[in-house]
């Protein structure tokens, strides 16, 4: 019911009410756990993955649609069906994009074929980045879960296509082959991913920090890295560091 006793206003569920913030199917809506009142922050439409959600999501069934099937068939033909089956353990088509979740030991074989095969021609690696799913996207947090992900965006300027590759590793074994020998543009991208997430790119020509000082301790974009900050005095009041001001859920 609305405040005046009438019908529920359409769209109100997206404004931070109980119905929108309750977990459902591995997802949770709303910002900062707001419930019971309107969310005027502008983030009422947020959809966050509950722990276990991202890893448990299904693999898209074929046909994928459009040119996605053409690329997949060409990749299978280029590397062989046995290699493809061993390398690609999940394919997700979502919001008009395709992502191949692959095993790291087959990364170089796949990207070499994606770049050089006449039917593929993904000549440009436009981005390499990291993601930390410490408290979402996996089962119970334990040392053996691959919480750190490396994401590659590959672009075919010949066919005007774009795909995404994704690799997951554990925080205890963060080694991934460097693709700089195939895509030189990945040089600084891999350095930044190492700097922020601590993912080691084996074979990189100079894997050093690019944003933080060389002697910096830790990797600032990991979810277990402290937010830090220092107290600030302003007109006689003290503003505490951000990690003591709010519980981020």
């Amino acid at each position: 019911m609305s405040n005046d006793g009438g019908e529920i206003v359409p769209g109100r569920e997206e404004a931070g009410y109980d119905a929108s913030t309750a977990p459902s199917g591995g997802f949770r809506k709303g910002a900062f756990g707001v419930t019971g009142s309107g969310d005027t922050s502008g983030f009422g439409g947020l959809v966050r993955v509950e722990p276990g959600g991202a890893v448990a999501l299904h693999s898209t069934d074929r046909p994928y649609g459009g040119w996605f099937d053409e690329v997949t068939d060409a990749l299978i033909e280029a590397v062989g069906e046995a290699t493809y089956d061993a390398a690609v353990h999940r394919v997700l088509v979502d919001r008009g994009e395709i992502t191949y979740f692959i095993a790291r030991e087959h990364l170089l074989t796949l990207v070499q074929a994606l770049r050089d095969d006449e039917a593929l021609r993904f000549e440009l690696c436009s981005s390499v980045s990291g993601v930390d799913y410490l408290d979402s996207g996996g089962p119970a947090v334990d040392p053996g879960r691959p919480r750190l992900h490396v994401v590659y965006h590959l672009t075919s300027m010949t066919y005007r296509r774009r795909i995404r590759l994704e690799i997951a590793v554990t925080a205890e074994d963060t080694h991934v082959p460097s693709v700089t020998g195939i895509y030189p543009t990945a040089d600084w991208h891999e350095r930044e991913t190492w700097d922020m997430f601590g993912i080691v790119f084996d074979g990189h020509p100079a894997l050093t920090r690019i944003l933080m000082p060389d002697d910096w301790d830790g990797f600032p974009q990991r979810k277990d890295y402290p937010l830090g900050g220092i107290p600030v005095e302003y007109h006689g009041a003290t503003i505490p560091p951000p990690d003591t001001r709010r519980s981020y859920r």
Side-chain angles (χ1 to χ4, degrees), residues 6 11 13 23 58 74 85 95 119 133 141 143 151-153 160 167 172 181 183-185 188 192 202 224-225:
E13 293 82 359
H58 71 284
D85 290 341
R95 295 173 175 83
Y133 289 108
V141 178
V151 183
Y152 304 81
H153 289 95
R160 300 179 63 84
I167 292 175
E172 292 70 37
Y183 293 114
T185 54
W188 284 18
E192 184 175 352
D202 296 327
D224 53 4
Y225 188 85

Side-chain angles (χ1 to χ4, degrees), residues 107-126:
L107 172 64
L108 298 184
T109 299
L110 263 61
V111 296
Q112 188 81 59
L114 286 163
R115 189 194 71 174
D116 295 343
D117 189 270
E118 291 289 343
L120 295 166
R121 287 297 187 191
F122 286 90
E123 305 99 336
L124 174 65
C125 177
S126 57

